[in-house]
Amino acid sequence: MNIEYIVKPFDGLTIKELYKILRLRSEVFVVEQNCPYQDMDNKDLKGYHLMCYADGELAGYTRLLPQGISYQEASIGRVVIAPAYRGLKLGKQLMEESITACTSLFQNPAMRISAQAHLQGFYNSLGFEPVGEPYDEDGIPHIEMLLKQATPVPVDCSISG
């Protein structure tokens, strides 16, 4: 399987890329998780969009936000792997690419995420530590997690747009 990662600012996305991103986010976060919420929160306009393609198909995605948009720190959110590509260990690669891209784009900042609580162990394995107590977000238990400073990982992360 040929895996490619592409990072673009919002204004660099094509209409088709944006459609595929929003469709995937809706498919998983709204339909699969049965969680009606306002996904389009205007933060997309201020962020970067990391797309993971497997053999030319959108297999995963994250939204990368600079400091001061969601948190004092940079953040990685809307982390998603398409159902057809789960079980292939793409989630770890996707997050490693996201951490590397944030490090490059935002000058090696600390990073904060709002993680679904059942994925805390996964994010711990990437260096994130829980901050505060678990909380309910749209009916799903979450916990904030912090990566104090990323260790650059040598990966091929082409940033375009």
Side-chain angles (χ1 to χ4, degrees):
M1 182 177 336
N2 180 36
I3 304 295
E4 178 184 20
Y5 293 90
I6 299 172
V7 178
K8 291 185 176 184
F10 182 82
D11 289 340
L13 294 171
T14 68
I15 293 170
K16 286 184 180 182
E17 287 171 330
L18 180 59
Y19 179 84
K20 288 178 183 182
I21 289 167
L22 295 176
R23 185 174 194 280
L24 176 59
R25 286 174 17 181
S26 178
E27 175 186 1
V28 173
F29 299 134
V30 177
V31 177
E32 179 182 315
Q33 295 181 356
N34 192 27
C35 185
Y37 76 108
Q38 184 61 44
D39 178 41
M40 290 174 275
D41 56 8
N42 292 321
K43 293 178 184 180
D44 290 316
L45 303 168
K46 301 170 187 169
Y48 288 81
H49 304 271
L50 189 144
M51 298 162 281
C52 170
Y53 288 95
D55 295 330
E57 296 295 322
L58 185 63
Y61 165 84
T62 61
R63 178 173 75 179
L64 314 175
L65 297 175
Q67 301 91 321
I69 304 296
S70 285
Y71 305 106
Q72 178 181 336
E73 302 85 4
S75 65
I76 301 169
R78 302 297 197 261
V79 180
V80 62
I81 296 292
Y85 295 94
R86 293 182 188 154
L88 303 175
K89 308 252 185 241
L90 289 178
K92 185 169 172 107
Q93 290 177 10
L94 178 68
M95 280 303 296
E96 288 171 347
E97 291 282 347
S98 298
I99 291 166
T100 299
C102 274
T103 301
S104 173
L105 290 165
F106 310 130
Q107 292 79 45
N108 202 29
M111 293 169 224
R112 186 176 296 259
I113 61 174
S114 174
Q116 290 187 8
H118 75 277
L119 295 171
Q120 184 175 338
F122 168 74
Y123 290 113
N124 276 140
S125 75
L126 293 161
F128 287 89
E129 296 294 330
V131 178
E133 297 298 318
Y135 57 93
D136 181 89
E137 185 174 305
D138 300 312
I140 299 172
H142 281 70
I143 188 161
E144 284 189 15
M145 299 186 78
L146 184 66
L147 179 65
K148 290 186 179 168
Q149 188 171 13
T151 302
V153 179
V155 291
D156 180 22
C157 181
S158 59
I159 297 174
S160 60

